[in-house]
Amino acid sequence: MSEKIKFTIDGKECIAKKGQYILEAALENGIYIPFLCNMKGVKPAGSCRLCNVKINGRNMTACTTPVAAGMEVESEIPELQELRLSIIEMLFVEGNHFCPSCEKSGNCELQALAYKFQMLVPRFPYEFPIKEVDASSPKLYIDRNRCIKCKRCIRNIKDENGKSYFAFYKRAHDVEICLDKELAATMSDELAQKAMDTCPVGAILRKEKGFDQPIGTRKFDKQAIGTDIISVVENINMEVKE
Amino acid sequence: MSKPVVATTSLSGCFGCHMSLLDIDERILDLIDVVEFNKSPIDDIKEFTKQCDIGIIEGGCCNSENVHVLKDFRKNCKILISLGECAIMGGLPALRNGIPIKECLDEAYLNGPTAQIGNEEQILPNDEELPMILDKVYPCHEVVKIDYYLPGCPPRADLIWDALVALVTGNELKLPYEVVKFD
Ligand code: SF4
Ligand code: SF4
Ligand code: SF4
């Protein structure tokens, strides 16, 4: 059995495996730290900065910082919640997010975070950038208007040789997500679905699908993002006790 | 004490937000007990006849008339509310923001399938009585100061009701998770 270490998040005692990242350990302890670019089983990137926590007065990304014994992590403090909200607002204005006409609406993690933080209007001016939609591959289309550049697709959708189906093209502010044409030509329905589910927003969508869940029945219509974390942990604890 | 006065308008919107206001159902009877309506499509008063307390704006600004009406609302209302996605961020009309205005007009009046019949002379509307179309659709708060925002497409009737009650009674507005939605 791997070594267990103790630490706290907002004063609550938590247990982590040695070497485990704070975010992963937090979730296992039933504590939700908001994130967008992280994904279970995928190497963390620390790119969205939503999971910023405070350790010894310094902001660190919880997804890439390993737990140390006795560490005191601050997460749900006003300063960080405000920082998180401002990141969410920035993501809304730097893309084109027309939620009423988006296939992912109701199941989108960015939108769900805006709901959780009750974003009524972003504080920044809307950029209305010009972005292309790429519908050239048979199974998927890429709507760059909604891409938040989290790299989840690049890190998670690979062929048997470890080659990524997705890649970034151009740099910095102009960076665009692209799908490898040759690989995409032979993509299975299952992998196409996995790619769509990997994308936290509505930037990767399956063709000939969409709007098939009535409003009110979608993932985040009634339940805020992160609220399912606690029940999962309670189940684990139950199993341990048994 | 006289009743608070409410005005409403639809700029570049689809009237869905006004429909949602009517979706408060029989509570509309309570509403007219406690507020008085002035300029609004609901009572068809076309011009402000007095200073208002609350102005409710549906739709963003897509043309010069929208800007004119919005500024008129700012002048005549103490509090302005952006109601719905269109007012808050341009909404679906702002889907045109990435397309040059000439292309939009050509598609609508010259090349589109519905433009072939009835516009044989191939005219782009140019009467000077017509408002000028803006380069893009603007959120209301990028044109005048807006005091409150109620998102949704349309915003839920309960959200509109609760916001109006909060404003009229001076109580704090509670926002349950289910009412703040963007679609
Ligand atoms: S990707 Fe999410 S935030 Fe963006 S338009 Fe779609 S539902 Fe809205
Ligand atoms: S397409 Fe989706 S998963 Fe890929 S980088 Fe963009 S937002 Fe992230
Ligand atoms: S927000 Fe939706 S319902 Fe309201 S005017 Fe715009 S399109 Fe219509």
Side-chain angles (χ1 to χ4, degrees):
Chain A
M1 215 185 85
S2 60
E3 201 185 317
K4 292 273 161 57
I5 46 179
K6 281 191 184 166
F7 72 113
T8 63
I9 301 176
D10 293 333
K12 188 174 174 256
E13 283 235 5
C14 299
I15 296 168
K17 292 183 218 84
K18 195 160 189 280
Q20 201 174 21
Y21 295 120
I22 297 169
L23 181 62
E24 200 190 340
L27 296 178
E28 282 180 15
N29 282 275
I31 295 174
Y32 173 69
I33 298 174
F35 62 88
L36 272 171
C37 72
N38 201 65
M39 235 195 152
K40 204 176 158 64
V42 178
K43 193 169 176 263
S47 66
C48 78
R49 317 310 281 185
L50 271 179
C51 72
N52 253 314
V53 289
K54 222 175 233 315
I55 304 159
N56 276 333
R58 277 185 68 192
N59 286 3
M60 312 281 278
T61 45
C63 68
T64 56
T65 309
V67 178
M71 201 179 232
E72 289 172 12
V73 179
E74 292 177 281
S75 176
E76 281 201 21
I77 55 173
E79 179 197 325
L80 289 177
Q81 297 293 67
E82 183 56 25
L83 178 72
R84 289 168 184 151
L85 175 60
S86 71
I87 294 172
I88 295 162
E89 292 174 2
M90 204 139 58
L91 290 170
F92 268 88
V93 299
E94 70 178 26
N96 292 308
H97 293 277
F98 297 98
C99 295
S101 66
C102 178
E103 294 81 348
K104 197 80 171 226
S105 191
N107 295 314
C108 164
E109 291 174 36
L110 173 62
Q111 187 191 57
L113 281 162
Y115 290 167
K116 181 184 163 58
F117 283 84
Q118 301 214 308
M119 178 189 98
L120 300 179
V121 65
R123 72 197 70 176
F124 310 108
Y126 283 96
E127 197 184 328
F128 294 118
I130 295 174
K131 306 270 179 174
E132 295 285 323
V133 175
D134 177 3
S136 61
S137 69
K139 294 276 159 67
L140 292 175
Y141 73 96
I142 314 292
D143 190 339
R144 299 191 182 107
N145 291 290
R146 303 165 183 160
C147 175
I148 55 165
K149 298 152 190 172
C150 69
K151 286 190 173 179
R152 261 159 66 158
C153 55
I154 302 177
R155 289 176 287 149
N156 197 34
I157 308 299
K158 298 183 175 179
D159 70 2
E160 60 274 19
N161 303 318
K163 192 175 173 214
S164 290
Y165 279 70
F166 293 87
F168 274 165
Y169 171 65
K170 297 187 195 162
R171 276 174 189 277
H173 196 60
D174 299 326
V175 79
E176 278 177 5
I177 194 74
C178 295
L179 176 56
D180 186 296
K181 281 218 162 55
E182 270 170 45
L183 286 176
T186 58
M187 200 175 212
S188 66
D189 281 330
E190 291 69 43
L191 195 61
Q193 184 64 43
K194 187 179 169 192
M196 177 166 160
D197 295 340
T198 293
C199 181
V201 292
I204 301 178
L205 294 160
R206 285 185 67 191
K207 285 189 173 171
E208 297 174 23
K209 259 186 77 79
F211 304 112
D212 46 6
Q213 273 175 290
I215 292 181
T217 67
R218 301 166 305 180
K219 197 167 173 197
F220 302 117
D221 280 338
K222 299 213 166 79
Q223 205 188 16
I225 190 166
T227 43
D228 50 339
I229 305 287
I230 292 146
S231 56
V232 170
V233 167
E234 276 164 5
N235 288 340
I236 296 169
N237 289 343
M238 297 275 279
E239 280 164 29
V240 171
K241 276 185 197 131
E242 282 163 14
Chain B
M1 203 183 88
S2 61
K3 293 181 188 178
V5 187
V6 177
T8 79
T9 189
S10 177
L11 305 177
S12 177
C14 75
F15 264 95
C17 291
H18 272 83
M19 297 308 279
S20 196
L21 171 60
L22 297 181
D23 265 346
I24 63 174
D25 298 330
E26 75 280 1
R27 284 174 290 184
I28 195 116
L29 299 174
D30 300 329
L31 187 63
I32 49 173
D33 268 344
V34 289
V35 303
E36 171 191 330
F37 274 87
N38 200 266
K39 178 179 159 80
S40 168
I42 290 172
D43 55 19
D44 211 20
I45 297 179
K46 308 272 193 219
E47 295 298 335
F48 284 104
T49 58
K50 58 161 93 167
Q51 277 288 313
C52 297
D53 297 288
I54 304 168
I56 299 176
I57 313 289
E58 164 191 316
C61 290
C62 94
N63 64 31
S64 55
E65 202 239 350
N66 296 155
V67 174
H68 173 81
V69 173
L70 182 57
K71 287 186 170 165
D72 201 29
F73 263 73
R74 184 68 277 179
K75 226 179 280 158
N76 286 284
C77 303
K78 281 190 207 136
I79 293 168
L80 277 195
I81 304 176
S82 268
L83 181 67
E85 292 306 301
C86 294
I88 291 173
M89 56 80 66
L92 300 192
L95 280 167
R96 80 157 160 95
N97 283 6
I99 306 168
I101 194 78
K102 176 82 166 66
E103 260 176 59
C104 291
L105 290 171
D106 284 355
E107 179 65 19
Y109 294 102
L110 306 181
N111 308 326
T114 54
Q116 306 296 328
I117 316 155
N119 190 12
E120 281 79 9
E121 289 153 68
Q122 297 272 292
I123 298 170
L124 290 180
N126 60 358
D127 193 291
E128 60 185 30
E129 292 279 310
L130 291 173
M132 286 294 283
I133 198 156
L134 303 180
D135 62 332
K136 62 177 189 185
V137 180
Y138 290 84
C140 291
H141 64 274
E142 293 186 10
V143 178
V144 300
K145 180 181 185 297
I146 297 289
D147 303 289
Y148 298 105
Y149 303 85
L150 300 176
C153 181
R156 308 293 179 269
D158 286 337
L159 176 63
I160 305 175
W161 170 255
D162 290 345
L164 285 174
V165 169
L167 276 175
V168 171
T169 59
N171 292 331
E172 196 190 334
L173 172 61
K174 300 242 164 36
L175 292 172
Y177 180 78
E178 286 84 356
V179 301
V180 177
K181 291 285 167 322
F182 302 160
D183 65 1

